[in-house]
Amino acid sequence: MKRLVILISGRGSNMEAIVKACKAEGWPAEVAAVISNRPDAAGLAFAAAHGIATAVVDHKAHGSREAFDAELARAIDGFAPDLVVLAGFMRILTPGFTARYARRMLNIHPSLLPAFTGLHTHERALEMGCKVAGVTVHFVTAELDHGAIVMQAVVPVLPGDDAKALAARVLTAEHRIYPQSVRWFAEGALVWDGEVVRHRDGAAQQLMLS
Ligand code: GAR
């Protein structure tokens, strides 16, 4: 059984999706802890209610990114995870931190990377007149929103969409591909081909929703 530590900053709906998936019969992973950088993150209550250990490492209590990341790493390592899962964790990480968890830390980003790294992805996709949008699960590297892509989901942009409507459609896809990606990692089904990640048996690494 692989151990997961999930990092959140807020609502935690992706964390919820992974927690629920892990409860299913035969799942190869369990959530050892949920850690937030914000004491008021709504997702902490869900995790605690499901008997999962929680911790807060408040970025505001640390004078530098390095100090915060060092404390965060201490908290994470206390739970001895096989995989660190960033689920709406809204902090930029130092290169030392990303190197520590190289090839064992995943992130979900609400765009079809490499398009629209950073914030306000849905607003920017709408401004560009994009006809599709989506979400990417990728391994974390030092460069923000880069790193090998594990899975992507594509959703249509529909007439009349505003950022909220598009975000909701994308979020539905997030809740499908993040648990799937975590499962593949836990099963050892993800193989590295240079800097690219493929599924061992050629399973589809994309989900197309209409
Ligand atoms: C999700 O849409 C996730 O893709 C996004 O924040 C939201 C968190 O929702 N992440 C990023 O923008 C990271 N750059 P959640 O807390 O309900 O999972």
Side-chain angles (χ1 to χ4, degrees), residues 7 26 29 41 45 55 73 89 91 93 103 109 112 125 133 150 154 174 192 202:
L7 305 190
F89 186 68
R91 298 298 301 168
L93 299 163
R103 298 194 171 189
H109 181 74
L112 293 171
V150 175
V154 180
E174 296 188 32
W192 289 84

Side-chain angles (χ1 to χ4, degrees), residues 51-76:
I52 296 166
T54 63
V56 174
V57 181
D58 188 346
H59 62 279
K60 291 191 183 136
H62 297 81
S64 66
R65 286 195 190 279
E66 287 72 19
F68 169 70
D69 281 4
E71 186 57 32
L72 185 60
R74 257 194 298 281
I76 292 169

Side-chain angles (χ1 to χ4, degrees), residues 10-15 87-88 90 107-110 118 145 171 174:
R11 178 178 57 187
S13 71
N14 278 289
M15 174 271 296
M90 305 303 276
N107 182 46
I108 190 159
H109 181 74
D145 299 329
L171 193 65
E174 296 188 32

Side-chain angles (χ1 to χ4, degrees), residues 65-66 69 92-102 141-143:
R65 286 195 190 279
E66 287 72 19
D69 281 4
I92 290 176
L93 299 163
T94 57
F97 186 91
T98 55
R100 184 186 191 93
Y101 301 105
T141 58
E143 201 177 343

Side-chain angles (χ1 to χ4, degrees), residues 116-139:
F116 306 124
T117 60
L119 297 175
H120 309 302
T121 54
H122 305 305
E123 286 85 346
R124 288 153 64 206
L126 291 170
E127 275 164 21
M128 288 297 295
C130 291
K131 309 310 176 206
V132 294
V135 56
T136 303
V137 174
H138 64 98
F139 280 93

